[in-house]
Amino acid sequence: MSNKLIYSQISTRKGRTFGISLIVAALSLVMFSGFIIIFSLNSGLRSLSDRMGADLMVVPLGYESGAEGILIKGEPSYFYFDKSVLGEIQEADVDGIEKMTAQFYLTSSNQGCCDIPVQFIGIDEATDFTVLPWIEEALPIGGAANTIDGRIRHSGYLNDGMLVVGSDIDVPEDGRLRFFDEYFVVSAKLEETGTGLDQAVFSNVATSMKLFEAAKKKGFNFTDNIDPENSISSIMIKVKDGTTPEDVKHDLRSKIDGLQIIETRSLSNSIRDSLSGFVILLYVLILMLLVLTLIILSVTFRLSVRERVHQFMLMRTVGATKKQVNKLILKEALFVSFIGAAVGILVAAIGIFPFADAISLAVSIPFLLPNLWVILTFVILTLIIGTLSGPLSAIASMKSISRISVYDAGRL
């Protein structure tokens, strides 16, 4: 069966071709978008759990939402309590704590003193087990690497006056960023995580103190009544194997009052629980749309075949077999459905990939796009399902044509 005949039939029935392609495009758009969104949300939540590094996060009482905002939404925040709390926890001798490290938070604005508003996270290189392993994994050893507690530390990236930035931070060509009218060298940029940490800037303790003093000179109110040398913002805790974070949390609360203790794993779990209904709804929507598409296309092809019954019967009378007629119907359905599926995927890609950051902000949930191979897998899967929806819907119409014999065709 000549392909020219197929192209001729498609071009002469532009309205039908456009309608079928539009239906398949809508199915493919929702399906591909759904696959990408579900994967990106799950990937973002996994990244949040992996990058936390700590099992518990201790912050001042009443600042749980601020801590969640920093980690999940990338919302700059700051809060402080006395550094003596770290000593109190150490002296409490809580069974189950393996490691502890303190962090110091600052925020900036873009009102004259700073290039961009960001979240500063100051870490202690001597004790940190949350940020440094991430840097060591993502970046080659640079500068003068020191060994602390038997572990290589990337002091070259976190020397005094140097910053390591998240993936969403735009770095000028000269490699310097201005904060509180002071310039700092950006030594490295980390890979994307899909979490609030992508909008964070990391520094050592000395650089954090320099940032604080610079902010104080500019009159920022978070410096009021704060002694940076004796203040911290959070304490990250890793529990020993065989001990649950919940047990350590309960033990801490029984020995020390006035602390907000957050189970970091519960952050991603609570988000995942709240997302489960949305994910199920999205899968149901895709399934319902697939069934609806098959029903609509089946009716469309049946009506189309009835309109063209004389054409098909004429083909039978001049020697075309049932198989050849069916093959023509299938090829037409396959070609038109393929066009619709490809268009739907293209529109979905244009609507998702350039606006991933906006989507993440809109849903306030970590959103990490899949890599190229996963995207290609979703493209192929959607393309196959969308393309096959046409031929599957045309099967009933083919059977109705096949029931007419050559003798009956000659009488039409």
Side-chain angles (χ1 to χ4, degrees):
M1 192 67 64
S2 174
N3 288 333
K4 290 183 178 179
L5 179 59
I6 296 174
Y7 299 144
S8 174
Q9 294 300 322
I10 291 174
S11 59
T12 55
R13 291 175 171 80
K14 295 180 180 178
R16 178 178 62 86
T17 300
F18 176 78
I20 294 174
S21 297
L22 185 62
I23 294 170
V24 177
L27 168 67
S28 302
L29 186 153
V30 174
M31 186 179 299
F32 184 71
S33 300
F35 289 155
I36 294 294
I37 290 173
I38 292 171
F39 184 94
S40 298
L41 292 173
N42 287 328
S43 182
L45 291 175
R46 285 195 301 271
S47 179
L48 174 62
S49 298
D50 294 341
R51 292 307 175 201
M52 284 297 297
D55 300 301
L56 295 174
M57 182 179 186
V58 181
V59 297
L61 195 63
Y63 284 96
E64 181 175 6
S65 60
E68 291 180 2
I70 293 173
L71 298 173
I72 299 174
K73 304 175 185 178
E75 297 175 348
S77 184
Y78 59 88
F79 36 83
Y80 306 102
F81 53 5
D82 197 277
K83 186 184 280 188
S84 61
V85 174
L86 184 61
E88 289 179 29
I89 295 177
Q90 291 171 337
E91 293 174 2
D93 193 24
V94 176
D95 187 34
I97 295 180
E98 180 179 346
K99 301 175 184 177
M100 284 193 301
T101 188
Q103 295 183 344
F104 188 84
Y105 301 153
L106 282 172
T107 64
S108 72
S109 70
N110 57 357
Q111 299 177 356
C113 71
C114 312
D115 287 338
I116 49 176
V118 297
Q119 175 69 52
F120 294 106
I121 299 179
I123 64 171
D124 182 355
E125 282 193 280
T127 59
D128 181 78
F129 58 89
T130 60
V131 178
L132 287 175
W134 177 17
I135 296 176
E136 291 167 5
E137 176 186 340
L139 302 170
I141 295 178
N146 292 331
T147 300
I148 300 176
D149 296 333
R151 294 173 292 177
I152 293 178
R153 290 308 194 187
H154 290 292
S155 57
Y157 287 115
L158 288 173
N159 283 342
D160 294 353
M162 290 187 174
L163 306 174
V164 173
V165 301
S167 63
D168 288 349
I169 305 295
D170 292 326
V171 181
E173 291 184 3
D174 64 0
R176 299 195 307 163
L177 286 172
R178 181 175 62 104
F179 298 110
F180 311 114
D181 288 341
E182 296 279 349
Y183 283 91
F184 298 85
V185 176
V186 177
S187 59
K189 189 171 185 176
L190 298 171
E191 293 180 353
E192 183 181 12
T193 67
T195 70
L197 298 177
D198 291 336
Q199 293 91 44
V201 172
F202 304 95
S203 65
N204 64 13
V205 174
T207 305
S208 297
M209 296 301 102
K210 184 178 179 180
L211 284 162
F212 188 92
E213 291 302 325
K216 187 174 182 179
K217 289 179 182 178
K218 295 297 294 182
F220 279 78
N221 60 4
F222 62 72
T223 63
D224 295 343
N225 302 318
I226 296 296
D227 178 9
E229 297 289 343
N230 295 303
S231 299
I232 55 176
S233 299
S234 69
I235 300 172
M236 312 300 284
I237 297 175
K238 183 175 179 61
V239 305
K240 296 177 181 178
D241 292 339
T243 305
T244 66
E246 186 176 352
D247 291 338
V248 175
K249 178 180 177 180
H250 178 75
D251 199 3
L252 272 174
R253 280 182 170 168
S254 67
K255 294 180 178 180
I256 303 175
D257 295 327
L259 298 179
Q260 189 82 51
I261 306 173
I262 306 168
E263 291 186 47
T264 57
R265 185 71 64 176
S266 68
L267 293 178
S268 57
N269 289 341
S270 62
I271 297 172
R272 185 174 283 108
D273 291 341
S274 64
L275 274 179
S276 60
F278 168 76
V279 171
I280 293 173
L281 181 62
L282 197 52
Y283 278 129
V284 170
L285 176 62
I286 293 173
L287 181 61
M288 289 178 61
L289 189 58
L290 177 60
V291 172
L292 184 62
T293 298
L294 293 175
I295 294 173
I296 294 175
L297 290 182
S298 296
V299 175
T300 302
F301 281 118
R302 184 177 292 273
L303 293 175
S304 175
V305 166
R306 285 185 179 179
E307 291 176 1
R308 301 168 60 192
V309 66
H310 289 280
Q311 173 195 349
F312 294 135
M313 293 305 100
L314 180 61
M315 292 171 60
R316 293 294 310 280
T317 58
V318 297
T321 64
K322 292 180 181 180
K323 185 176 180 180
Q324 288 175 320
V325 173
N326 289 340
K327 190 175 180 180
L328 174 64
I329 297 173
L330 279 178
K331 277 190 172 183
E332 287 185 21
L334 194 69
F335 185 78
V336 175
S337 298
F338 176 81
I339 293 175
V343 170
I345 293 171
L346 180 61
V347 173
I350 293 173
I352 291 178
F353 297 123
F355 305 104
D357 291 341
I359 295 173
S360 180
L361 289 174
V363 297
S364 298
I365 293 171
F367 190 85
L368 183 60
L369 288 173
N371 60 40
L372 179 60
W373 295 112
V374 175
I375 293 173
L376 288 177
T377 301
F378 288 145
V379 167
I380 293 171
L381 179 62
T382 305
L383 200 60
I384 290 174
I385 296 175
T387 301
L388 290 180
S389 64
L392 289 174
S393 303
I395 291 176
S397 303
M398 290 164 42
K399 290 181 178 180
S400 65
I401 291 295
S402 298
R403 285 196 290 265
I404 302 178
S405 64
V406 176
Y407 173 75
D408 293 330
R411 297 173 61 188
L412 293 176

